[in-house]
Amino acid sequence: MPARGEQPETAALRVDDLLAEMSLDEKLAQLVGLWLNVNREEGVVAPLQDAMQGDEEEFEAFARHGLGHVTRHFGTTPVDPAQASAELAGRQRWLRDHTRLGIPAIAHEECLTGLAAWRATTYPVPPAWGATFDPALVEEMGRRIGASMRALGVHQGLAPVLDVIRDQRWGRVEECISEDPYEVATIGAAYVRGLQCAGVIATLKHFVGYSNSRAGRNLAPVHAGPREVADTLLFPFEVAVRDARAGSVMNSYAEIDGIPIAADAHYLTRILRDEWGFDGTVVADYFAVAFLHTLHAVASDAEDAAVQALSAGIDVELPTGVAYVEPLKRAVAAGRIPESLVDRALRRVLTQKAALGLLDDGYEPRGSGPIDLDDPESRALARRLAEESIVLLANDGVLPLGQAAGRRVAVVGPNAGSVAALFGCYSFVNHVLPHSPGVETGIAAPTVLDALREELPEAVIRTERGTGVDDGDRSGIAAAARLAGESDVAILVLGDRSGLFGRGTSGEGCDVETLDLPGAQQELADAVIATGTPVVAVLMTGRAYAVPGILRNAAAVVQAYFPGEEGAGAIARVLSGAVNPSGRLPMSMPRSVAGQPYSYLHPKLGAAGSVSNIDPAPELPFGHGLSYTRFACEGLTAGGQVRAGEPIRCSVVVRNAGERAGAEVVQLYASDRIASVTRPLAQLVGYARVELDPGQCATVSFDVPARLLAFTGRDGRRVVEPGEVGVSVRRSAADVVAEASVLLTGPVHEVTGEERRLTTVSVEKGQPS
């Protein structure tokens, strides 16, 4: 990330001077965080937090030798932002004035859907980012989030999550961008650039393999071959490190083939640093160092765990010093680990503090004063992101609803009147406020029911809840069906309730055994659809559910991944027609749970065949999404022959053939016809979101680098092989619009780290005809 403090040469000298002067106690103090004000009764927001977090330390006692990180000062309990900022500045002044070396701490916070602090703007969850196919918009969101954090005195954000979705049963799907690694890379890197432009360190999570857990269970073992890890799971992290220059990486809790990542130097040092050139800090996911002993049983005690983690490459233990203070001190004193490894981690931490300006001689911590963390500009951005993210899955013509006066509209379903249904598990509303009953949300967030009443003022709107999200209550289904039967149209709002560790139907630790809608929601849907009234189903979820009956029998279906504080209004505007839907599925929608784990990036044997009675094909594919207008793609051109290792250049003309303005997502896929290892039937290698007026055309040109055609060969080298490559423009992974072939010639090309990783896209618009 760009330096904000001393110049690099001056900072390096300053770091050298500090290192030479520091005692072992002072060194170790810089390698840990401190988490204060944690609710010990029911506020568990990290795995096994109640068991791992010991008696609360007094700040002055714990930080007497200094402190590396302040953990979630704003995101642990509801606190007034200005007051909390002043308190944080006071602690920084104490560190400056009352420790021997006067080194301030890095303050870090969660920021996956906006800064996770009371009264801060809450944006849609990452699958919604993926649904937009709009990296520039995500970058702007990151920039605004970073600016609010920096204003409060926060230096590091624990986002984005770059795990590639592999299994819809996993509760943390709602934190992930997409099932496609190229889309995760492009959208994730955009967020990193935005956050770091504001002077806040981005932290890549969770490095690596976390989303590939067995049976979709959180923190379950991961069994992935080195080719799958290298070609699919690592790629987004590589792009974020090499291209976006992310400042920090957080280890995955996972163990891959029996080795926990927190103790694996292959990933944390050889790949991340030696191969990719990463020069930032690796921070431990909360309690991950101690988990080497308590969960993985590869360390005999906390001291052994500290030795393994530090040796592998974890620089900072978070959220507090369970292993890197006294246990690591004993290990150094006993000669079990050289002090030079402490110095290695310390140099990285101090270099980062220097870049943040924390080592400047004139550093003066200041509180923010009165601050609006949910200003109109941020809300407008949240609104635009929500609008672009909504996916129209099916429509028989009932949508858009328009403004017909007197239309009788039934609004039913458990999420119609729920504020919590707008937010993911890492929002402050669902992450922290459930442990502070009686505290208001702090942000304006109308429900879908509220928004529909505002958007359709001339309609007669009545409502019945029908059932809860997951309580199984069937007592209200008959009343909801009766209301639907008496109406001209029924809007059925279904989906998830996000939470943590079993307290929701989606979120961290909220994994599922089935992909049926939770509770009695499917029964409610069946009853409402059976009335014969046109039904518009709205799915507000964190994952993709298997709802083939709803997709086939409802008049229209809309998907909204927890869309944030402006999400209800966005949904209402899409339904009315004020907004033309343009979102595309970032994850396939399964037909049943039998196909899981699933990715459209499967080889030929991953498709249906005569040797199994199970067809894993999804009900709707990755990239699917409808519009209120029509688009045509034509004139695909591609270079007929290029040398292996050279880019493939192609272009296509897209035209708005309908009667209203809209946005098409032009998706470019490549298919390796024959290769020395099995390859996906098709893989996304480029995309462009193109907004067009009626009759308007645009020429979309793609320059696809060799890196995107490469794979790990039989000998472990990443190569591009000569042969035929199919190039296709598609409306989704399964809907081919136009295709061509390119012949790669010459010898096998071995890809290097210096080669371009992302497709260059240009859009040249013409005048409407």
Side-chain angles (χ1 to χ4, degrees):
M1 61 175 293
R4 294 176 60 93
E6 300 168 327
Q7 293 301 309
E9 298 80 6
T10 306
L13 292 173
R14 173 75 166 135
V15 169
D16 288 340
D17 290 343
L18 282 171
L19 269 168
E21 188 179 352
M22 296 173 79
S23 68
L24 180 59
D25 284 328
E26 289 169 331
K27 291 176 179 180
L28 297 177
Q30 293 297 318
L31 305 186
V32 299
L34 178 60
W35 197 6
L36 299 173
N37 303 318
V38 180
N39 185 328
R40 300 185 183 282
E41 299 301 321
E42 55 180 355
V44 175
V45 295
L48 302 178
Q49 171 190 317
D50 49 348
M52 299 305 303
Q53 184 86 354
D55 293 335
E56 184 162 305
E57 299 272 3
E58 292 291 335
F59 177 82
E60 291 81 1
F62 187 91
R64 63 190 181 279
H65 298 300
L67 183 62
H69 277 241
V70 172
T71 294
R72 296 183 61 176
H73 180 77
F74 296 88
T76 298
T77 59
V79 289
D80 176 77
Q83 178 183 342
S85 182
E87 291 173 353
L88 178 60
R91 285 180 172 160
Q92 297 284 38
R93 279 191 290 272
W94 188 92
L95 289 168
R96 183 195 62 189
D97 299 338
H98 292 86
T99 61
R100 189 174 72 90
L101 298 172
I103 303 173
I106 290 174
H108 74 255
E109 296 288 344
E110 299 286 359
C111 58
L112 188 62
T113 60
L115 171 60
W118 193 41
R119 297 179 178 169
T121 303
T122 307
Y123 297 89
V125 292
W129 312 354
T132 69
F133 280 81
D134 192 344
L137 186 60
V138 172
E139 182 171 345
E140 176 59 25
M141 176 188 68
R143 188 177 295 111
R144 294 202 69 84
I145 293 170
S148 66
M149 297 171 76
R150 191 72 189 188
L152 293 171
V154 177
H155 311 98
Q156 184 164 347
L158 303 187
V161 171
L162 300 185
D163 295 307
V164 179
I165 297 169
R166 307 298 277 174
D167 193 325
Q168 299 288 351
R169 295 172 294 180
W170 191 46
R172 302 193 80 166
V173 165
E174 67 166 70
E175 300 176 46
C176 304
I177 294 168
S178 174
E179 75 179 56
D180 179 81
Y182 183 79
E183 194 191 7
V184 176
T186 51
I187 297 287
Y191 181 89
V192 170
R193 287 192 298 269
L195 198 70
Q196 295 195 161
C197 277
V200 173
I201 299 166
T203 307
L204 311 181
K205 299 162 61 172
H206 305 86
F207 187 75
V208 61
Y210 192 31
S211 59
N212 210 42
S213 59
R214 282 283 180 93
R217 291 179 56 249
N218 197 41
L219 261 160
V222 169
H223 291 273
R227 183 170 291 102
E228 180 181 2
V229 175
D231 291 355
T232 301
L233 303 180
L234 280 173
F235 180 68
F237 292 94
E238 182 181 7
V239 170
V241 167
R242 285 182 145 162
D243 295 289
R245 306 299 299 171
S248 188
V249 169
M250 176 177 279
N251 74 283
S252 161
Y253 285 132
E255 54 186 65
I256 298 181
D257 199 23
I259 302 179
I261 297 298
D264 197 338
H266 171 69
Y267 293 109
L268 297 181
T269 297
R270 286 192 287 277
I271 288 180
L272 183 61
R273 295 191 184 276
D274 299 342
E275 183 178 332
W276 296 351
F278 176 69
D279 60 1
T281 56
V282 175
V283 298
D285 204 346
Y286 285 13
F287 308 115
V289 177
F291 285 168
L292 294 174
H293 168 54
T294 60
L295 289 186
H296 296 292
V298 297
S300 57
D301 53 23
E303 181 180 326
D304 189 13
V307 168
Q308 292 192 39
L310 187 68
S311 300
I314 290 184
D315 302 311
V316 180
E317 182 187 15
L318 297 181
T320 193
V322 175
Y324 271 20
V325 182
E326 291 303 322
L328 186 53
K329 181 180 179 180
R330 291 194 299 268
V332 173
R336 296 188 182 93
I337 188 170
E339 190 169 345
S340 60
L341 289 185
V342 174
D343 292 347
R344 181 182 72 174
L346 178 59
R347 182 177 295 279
R348 295 164 183 165
V349 171
L350 293 178
T351 299
Q352 204 156 66
K353 288 191 174 186
L356 290 165
L358 297 177
L359 301 187
D360 292 357
D361 289 336
Y363 171 75
E364 176 58 43
R366 292 184 176 88
S368 67
I371 183 171
D372 184 359
L373 294 180
D374 191 28
D375 58 89
E377 293 80 8
S378 297
R379 291 196 69 95
L381 183 61
R383 169 177 172 163
R384 183 179 166 198
L385 191 64
E387 289 176 347
E388 288 192 13
S389 71
I390 294 170
V391 186
L392 180 60
L393 303 178
N395 185 22
D396 70 358
V398 69
L399 294 180
L401 295 174
Q403 294 287 345
R407 176 189 282 130
R408 298 170 299 168
V409 178
V411 180
V412 299
N415 279 346
S418 172
V419 170
L422 300 168
F423 304 113
C425 75
Y426 269 80
S427 69
F428 194 83
V429 171
N430 286 337
H431 203 78
V432 177
L433 285 186
H435 315 303
S436 301
V439 177
E440 61 181 16
T441 61
I443 51 176
T447 66
V448 172
L449 179 61
D450 295 332
L452 285 169
R453 283 175 169 154
E454 181 176 348
E455 183 66 20
L456 304 173
E458 297 181 359
V460 178
I461 294 179
R462 295 186 296 166
T463 186
E464 286 282 353
R465 184 166 176 263
T467 186
V469 169
D470 62 341
D471 56 17
D473 182 10
R474 294 164 173 80
S475 61
I477 291 178
R482 186 164 52 251
L483 177 62
E486 298 168 352
S487 303
D488 299 311
V489 64
I491 298 174
L492 178 62
V493 191
L494 307 170
D496 276 320
R497 175 175 51 82
S498 190
L500 291 161
F501 307 112
R503 301 193 292 269
T505 61
S506 172
E508 184 175 1
C510 297
D511 315 311
V512 294
E513 297 175 348
T514 174
L515 290 177
D516 297 333
L517 284 168
Q521 292 185 77
Q522 185 63 56
E523 294 178 45
L524 172 64
D526 292 342
V528 171
I529 291 172
T531 64
T533 296
V535 174
V536 177
V538 177
L539 304 174
M540 297 174 66
T541 68
R543 60 164 61 85
Y545 281 100
V547 289
I550 294 175
L551 287 168
R552 297 169 191 173
N553 299 319
V557 185
V558 167
Q559 172 70 57
Y561 305 102
F562 299 130
E565 64 183 38
E566 287 284 331
I571 291 169
R573 288 187 290 276
V574 165
L575 297 187
S576 74
V579 168
N580 191 352
S582 59
R584 302 293 185 267
L585 287 177
M587 63 186 89
S588 308
M589 290 198 71
R591 184 169 295 130
S592 74
V593 75
Q596 297 300 306
Y598 177 83
S599 168
Y600 89 90
L601 290 165
H602 60 74
K604 192 171 183 179
L605 283 183
S610 60
V611 295
S612 173
N613 62 314
I614 293 176
D615 182 356
E619 186 70 15
L620 291 175
F622 169 84
H624 171 81
L626 305 179
S627 172
Y628 294 151
T629 190
R630 296 177 293 108
F631 296 96
C633 290
E634 52 202 21
L636 173 63
T637 64
Q641 184 171 304
V642 298
R643 289 182 63 82
E646 294 181 352
I648 290 178
R649 296 181 176 91
C650 52
S651 64
V652 68
V653 176
V654 58
R655 177 170 53 90
N656 185 342
E659 298 179 352
R660 62 178 293 172
E664 172 69 307
V665 177
V666 181
Q667 304 169 44
L668 184 72
Y669 292 78
S671 305
D672 203 338
R673 306 296 194 202
I674 300 293
S676 59
V677 301
T678 60
R679 301 289 294 132
L681 295 176
Q683 65 182 87
L684 186 72
V685 293
Y687 62 86
R689 177 188 168 87
V690 184
E691 298 184 2
L692 296 171
D693 293 327
Q696 188 175 25
C697 294
T699 299
V700 184
S701 300
F702 299 93
D703 188 313
V704 182
R707 172 64 179 81
L708 292 180
L709 306 175
F711 57 87
T712 302
R714 295 189 184 191
D715 60 1
R717 296 183 304 146
R718 182 167 289 123
V719 296
V720 180
E721 294 179 341
E724 184 184 3
V725 173
V727 177
S728 57
V729 172
R730 307 185 180 202
R731 290 194 176 92
S732 73
D735 186 359
V736 178
V737 177
E739 55 187 336
S741 292
V742 177
L743 182 64
L744 304 184
T745 64
V748 171
H749 171 73
E750 183 172 357
V751 175
T752 68
E754 286 68 43
E755 295 186 35
R756 181 163 53 95
R757 280 163 287 278
L758 300 179
T759 294
T760 302
V761 182
S762 64
V763 178
E764 184 177 349
K765 293 184 181 181
Q767 295 299 317
S769 58

